[in-house]
Amino acid sequence: MSLKGINAYKKGNLKQEIAQADPHKLTLMLMQGALDRMAFAKGCIERREFEAKAEHLSRAGAIVMNLRDTLDLSIQSEVSDNLFALYDYILQRLVDANVQNNLKIMDEVISLMLPIKSAWAEIPEAAKQQAYETRRQKEQAAV
């Protein structure tokens, strides 16, 4: 099978997975996508493939920006405030890594993102369901 065919299959499979995913799973997929792009960018820096590095860092930054901008800051939680600040810091460091072609910065942002993803993956099903129900109630009250 050609590489083009494999990539088309992967894209179709990803679209199906996204269509079936709940908000928790989507966030987990975004975090993994950001980590993947960061790892690809790191490899590009090592190989001195600067155009590809910039593309991967741009995509990683867009994902992190989306994660940051979808935080519910209206609940005034220390967790959401800290995550917002951390995502902001990661975005700045991605810019620094891009400008400086710095592998240590890439290691830093990856090491900051991994525990967030791991913690997100460990959220118990009961807590997810409670969060979905609370959100539904808020949405219904707003109508």
Side-chain angles (χ1 to χ4, degrees):
M1 186 180 244
S2 74
L3 187 58
K4 210 174 208 180
I6 292 170
N7 286 336
Y9 174 78
K10 282 182 179 178
K11 257 188 184 171
N13 203 24
L14 179 62
K15 286 181 182 180
Q16 184 177 2
E17 197 173 340
I18 289 169
Q20 296 172 348
D22 60 39
H24 178 268
K25 174 77 172 170
L26 286 173
T27 301
L28 200 54
M29 291 171 70
L30 285 170
M31 290 178 183
Q32 185 60 54
L35 284 164
D36 290 347
R37 296 291 170 220
M38 290 173 194
F40 294 151
K42 185 178 173 186
C44 289
I45 292 171
E46 290 170 339
R47 292 185 303 276
R48 305 186 62 77
E49 297 171 356
F50 300 123
E51 187 176 332
K53 170 214 60 172
E55 179 65 29
H56 290 301
L57 286 177
S58 175
R59 289 182 181 184
I63 293 169
V64 173
M65 195 176 302
N66 180 273
L67 290 168
R68 182 199 64 190
D69 293 347
T70 57
L71 290 169
D72 186 357
L73 299 175
S74 69
I75 58 173
Q76 298 181 343
S77 159
E78 186 178 336
V79 172
S80 57
D81 290 343
N82 288 342
L83 272 175
F84 188 92
L86 184 57
Y87 287 146
D88 237 15
Y89 178 77
I90 289 171
L91 285 168
Q92 182 56 54
R93 295 303 282 164
L94 288 174
V95 170
D96 295 342
N98 194 17
V99 170
Q100 298 172 27
N101 295 313
N102 190 311
L103 293 171
K104 287 183 182 178
I105 295 173
M106 292 307 305
D107 289 336
E108 176 191 4
V109 293
I110 290 168
S111 72
L112 290 171
M113 197 71 194
L114 275 171
I116 300 169
K117 180 189 172 269
S118 296
W120 193 260
E122 295 298 318
I123 295 174
E125 188 62 34
K128 289 188 277 185
Q129 293 306 319
Q130 181 181 1
Y132 298 149
E133 184 57 35
T134 302
R135 182 156 193 114
R136 275 193 287 272
Q137 289 172 356
K138 281 175 104 177
E139 288 170 355
Q140 288 176 349
V143 173

